[in-house]
Amino acid sequence: MAGILCFIEQRDGGVRRASLQALSEAARLAGGSGGAVTAVLVGHGVSGLGTQLGAHGATRVLVADEPRFAQYSPEGFAAAIQAAVARVEPQAVFMSATIVGRDLSGRLAARLGVGCLADVVRVWLDGSTVVAVRPVYSGKAMATVDGGTSTPVVVTLRPNVFALEARDAQASLEPLVVPDVAIRAAVCEVVAKEGGELDVAEADRIVSGGRGMKAPENLALVRQLAQAMGAAVGASRAIVDAGWIDHAHQVGQTGKVVSPTLYVACGISGAIQHLAGMSSSKTIVAINKDPEAPIFKVADYGIVGDTLQVLPALTAEIQRLKAEG
Amino acid sequence: MKSCVLLACVPDTASIIKISVTGNRVDEAGIKWIISPYDEYAIEEAVRLKETTSGHVTVLTYGPDRVQATLREGLARGADAAVQVKGGEATFGDALAIARVLAAAVRKTGPFDLVLTGAKGVGSDNSLVGAMVAELLDLPHISGVLKLEIGDGRLVAEREVEGGTEVIEAPLPCVLTAQKGLNEPRYPSLKGIMASKKTTIQSLAVADLGLDEAALAGSGCRWRALDLPPSKTGGTILNGEADPAAAARELARLLREQAKVI
C-alpha cells in the first residue's frame, strides 16, 4: 500500500483539532498495512504548524506556504493537494468533513477523476480497497461504501468520531511546489461570529432547545446549561423556523448532523428529522414534559417534567458538582 | 441572467427507512418522493434573480421517470424549462458519475450564467455534486451560500464557516450551492401549477451527452450494504413532575458517576 495523504486544515494560526483526528486515523490504518502517512499543509505563514504533526502520525509534511493560499479557496487548495498526490501517489486522501473539507473534497475528487467517500464514521482496508461506513438519510441508515477501483480515493472523516492520538515522533518538513492555478472564487472577507460561540458541527457536547421552551427568551435557560457543561447551543427546526435562533444552530435532517459525546435535548419532542440528525450521539439526555415523546426512545437518560423548572435546577447542580471538582 | 438549477429527487424527510431485499438500498415501497429540501432554496434564488433582472430558469435532473414530478414542481415554482436526463440506476451511489452526467447535460443545454443546486442532496448526504460539476465545467464554485448579490459579470456571496461568515467574490459563470437561510421559498401558485402541466419536459438520454463508457463508469464507488443503526434500549428516565429539583440532582449524579460526561 502506498500510504495515505492527509490534508491538514488550519485557521487563525492553529491546526484544526478535527484534522488531527483524521491524521490519527490515517496513522492507525497505515500502521496496520505498512504504509506511510504524509500530511499536507496549505496556507501562508503556516510552516511552523508542521512540526507538531509528527506526534499525530505523519512521517512527512508537505508544506505549500505562499501568499496565494492565505485564504482558503477550493480551486487553489485542490491544485495544491493534486500536486501532493502526484508526489506521494497515495492510496487514499484523508481530510476532516468540516465545512472546508466537504467543500474541497468534491472539487478535488472531480479534478483527480476519483471517488469520494463522504463524512465517514468508520474506515478500513479490504485488501487494497478502502471501505467505509457513512450515515445516509441523515443517519436513519448506515451505508457500507467502497472506493472501488479509483486511486486515490478521497475520504472525509466526520469530526469528533475518530480518537486523537499523540506519540513521541517527529515529521520531516518538505516544501510543496504548486503549479499556477486560476483562483476565481476568492474569499475577500471573514467576519467572526460574535461572542465566539461554539459551532454545533464541531462541538463535543451540545445542549439543544425546542418548542417546549415555550418562548424565545427561555432559550437563556438552554444557554446557561450549555455554558455550565461547556457545550454548544443547538436547536430544533421548529424554533429556527419560528425565528427564535439562527439556522446555524439547527440540528437535524435540514440542519447539521452531529455525533457529540453528550447531547441534551430540552423541550424537543423528537421529530424523525431531528432524531436523524443526533441519534448517533454517544450519550443522549432528554428533558420533556410528555412521557410519550419520541425523544425518550433514543435517550440514555431523561426527565419527564417541566423543562422550564428542570433546567435551572440541573444547571445549578452541575455548577455545584464542577466547583467540588 | 440564465440559470440552471440541478434538482435531486429524494425520499420525503418524514420517511421511515427500510432496507431493500438486495441489502444495499432503501426499500422504495411506500416511499413518497420530494425535491431535496435544499434544492428549493436554489430554485427560489434563481426565480428571484429572473424576476429582478429578467432572464430564464431551467430545472434539470437525472433519474428515472419519477423525477418528472420533481421537475413539474420546479416549473410550478417559477422555472421556465425542464430537462430530464433519463437513467440513474447504473450510477447509483457514485457522485462522480452523476456529476459527469449533469455537467454534460448543462453543457448541452447551456450556456448558463449561473448553475445552482442545494448544499446537500438529502438522502445520500454527500454534498459533493455541486463542486464536482463546477470542476468538470471548469467553473468556480461557492458552496453553502446564505446571501447572494449579483453585479456586472460578478457575484458576491456569503457562507457560514465554523465560527464566522466568509464573504466570497467570483466571476460569472459560477456554480453555487444553496444553504437554508438563503431565502424563504414560496409555495407553488395555482397559476404556476397549471402552467407547469402544459410545459413539455425535454428528455435526454445519457447516450445523447457524448460521454464515453469510462466517464460513465465513474469512480467505481458503490454501496456494499445498507443497515439500520442499532436501536437504543432502556434508558434511565426519571419522573420530575412532582419534584423537578430532585430529578435534576439525580440526573446530574448519573451523568457524573455513571455516564462520566460531567
Side-chain angles (χ1 to χ4, degrees):
Chain A
M1 119 134 206
I4 298 172
L5 182 73
C6 186
F7 167 67
I8 303 296
E9 204 180 323
Q10 45 76 32
R11 181 177 298 160
D12 303 330
V15 166
R16 304 289 298 273
R17 193 178 160 80
S19 292
L20 297 181
Q21 294 164 356
L23 181 60
S24 297
E25 183 62 18
R28 269 190 291 275
L29 211 59
S33 62
V37 176
T38 306
V40 55
L41 253 178
V42 186
H44 184 47
V46 295
S47 298
L49 298 174
T51 47
Q52 62 184 296
L53 300 175
H56 302 287
T59 48
R60 299 159 75 187
V61 182
L62 303 178
V63 188
D65 194 337
E66 296 181 48
R68 61 181 165 144
F69 301 133
Q71 293 282 7
Y72 167 71
S73 67
E75 293 164 285
F77 278 47
I81 299 173
Q82 185 181 28
V85 165
R87 182 137 138 209
V88 177
E89 296 182 353
Q91 182 182 13
V93 180
F94 278 20
M95 62 183 79
S96 183
T98 56
I99 290 175
V100 163
R102 300 206 69 167
D103 182 61
L104 176 60
S105 51
R107 186 115 208 164
L108 175 69
R111 202 178 178 93
L112 299 172
V114 301
C116 178
L117 310 179
D119 199 27
V120 310
V121 296
R122 261 181 75 203
V123 57
W124 69 94
L125 289 171
D126 178 2
S128 61
T129 306
V130 178
V131 189
V133 172
R134 52 182 303 266
V136 290
Y137 305 98
S138 303
K140 288 182 201 167
M142 306 298 277
T144 305
V145 293
D146 77 44
T149 48
S150 80
T151 309
V153 63
V154 177
V155 184
T156 64
L157 293 82
R158 181 177 284 198
N160 286 332
V161 169
F162 298 91
L164 197 160
E165 276 171 30
R167 56 187 170 194
D168 192 15
Q170 299 280 322
S172 61
L173 262 58
E174 300 166 36
L176 176 67
V177 179
V178 183
D180 279 343
V181 57
I183 297 175
R184 294 163 292 188
V187 175
C188 46
E189 194 187 349
V190 182
V191 185
K193 209 175 278 180
E194 283 171 34
E197 274 190 350
L198 272 171
D199 188 90
V200 289
E202 285 189 299
D204 187 43
R205 290 143 184 263
I206 298 170
V207 179
S208 285
R211 188 72 94 177
M213 295 308 297
K214 302 239 171 68
E217 55 271 24
N218 293 333
L219 285 183
L221 301 176
V222 172
R223 290 206 173 87
Q224 285 154 9
L225 179 60
Q227 198 173 14
M229 289 181 155
V233 175
S236 72
R237 175 181 169 166
I239 69 166
V240 169
D241 287 354
W244 293 10
I245 189 166
D246 187 73
H247 172 251
H249 296 270
Q250 186 181 323
V251 171
Q253 197 151 8
T254 51
K256 286 173 178 145
V257 178
V258 298
S259 314
T261 311
L262 176 65
Y263 189 89
V264 185
C266 310
I268 293 176
S269 62
I272 189 167
Q273 295 91 339
H274 189 80
L275 297 183
M278 47 62 76
S279 56
S280 63
S281 307
K282 197 155 162 258
T283 299
I284 296 172
V285 178
I287 301 162
N288 202 295
K289 69 171 181 350
D290 176 11
E292 301 301 321
I295 191 80
F296 286 118
K297 294 203 168 56
V298 300
D300 300 285
Y301 299 95
I303 295 179
V304 176
D306 182 348
T307 312
L308 300 185
Q309 289 188 45
V310 171
L311 287 191
L314 185 58
T315 303
E317 184 64 11
I318 284 166
Q319 284 166 338
R320 193 184 69 77
L321 288 174
K322 282 194 154 173
E324 273 179 6
Chain B
M1 183 69 49
K2 271 192 81 184
S3 308
C4 181
V5 186
L6 309 176
L7 302 182
C9 175
V10 302
D12 190 331
T13 57
S15 303
I16 293 165
I17 298 296
K18 294 188 192 126
I19 312 297
S20 70
V21 288
T22 57
N24 65 344
R25 297 284 185 91
V26 164
D27 181 354
E28 295 186 359
I31 293 276
K32 184 185 159 211
W33 298 89
I34 60 164
I35 290 187
S36 179
Y38 292 92
D39 294 345
E40 293 183 10
Y41 306 107
I43 299 172
E44 179 65 28
E45 199 64 15
V47 171
R48 284 187 190 195
L49 285 169
K50 179 183 81 168
E51 287 167 351
T52 51
T53 64
S54 85
H56 188 271
V57 177
T58 300
V59 284
L60 189 156
T61 187
Y62 169 45
D65 284 346
R66 65 165 176 259
V67 305
Q68 288 175 6
T70 308
L71 292 170
R72 297 252 177 242
E73 191 179 336
L75 291 165
R77 287 170 181 271
D80 305 288
V83 181
Q84 176 194 5
V85 183
K86 287 182 179 274
E89 184 55 31
T91 50
F92 179 87
D94 186 349
L96 181 66
I98 294 166
R100 280 177 176 159
V101 169
L102 290 172
V106 168
R107 206 179 274 127
K108 192 174 176 74
T109 51
F112 297 101
D113 303 302
L114 214 49
V115 178
L116 297 108
T117 190
K120 176 164 89 172
V122 166
S124 65
D125 295 351
N126 276 315
S127 298
L128 290 171
V129 164
M132 283 181 160
V133 165
E135 175 66 28
L136 295 169
L137 294 172
D138 191 21
L139 296 178
H141 86 268
I142 305 171
S143 62
V145 173
L146 281 168
K147 200 175 159 195
L148 179 63
E149 275 171 44
I150 304 234
D152 188 22
R154 295 192 71 76
L155 62 85
V156 179
E158 288 184 14
R159 69 180 198 128
E160 187 209 343
V161 291
E162 293 95 349
T165 303
E166 279 181 353
V167 184
I168 301 170
E169 222 184 303
L172 294 173
C174 186
V175 177
L176 304 176
T177 76
Q179 178 61 274
K180 181 174 179 176
L182 176 60
N183 52 45
E184 195 59 52
R186 71 194 82 179
Y187 289 103
S189 65
L190 190 60
K191 189 168 155 251
I193 293 168
M194 298 308 286
S196 76
K197 289 182 177 154
K198 292 186 195 132
T199 309
T200 308
I201 293 175
Q202 186 191 346
S203 175
L204 292 175
V206 172
D208 299 334
L209 299 176
L211 291 164
D212 61 23
E213 258 177 56
L216 278 176
S219 65
C221 281
R222 66 196 174 102
W223 289 20
R224 281 189 177 184
L226 188 67
D227 297 287
L228 297 178
S231 54
K232 289 231 169 163
T233 48
T236 308
I237 310 300
L238 311 167
N239 188 329
E241 281 164 332
D243 189 346
R249 278 195 300 277
E250 176 61 6
L251 176 60
R253 187 189 69 78
L254 288 168
L255 292 179
R256 186 182 180 95
E257 292 172 13
Q258 202 175 72
K260 298 187 166 43
V261 289
I262 301 293

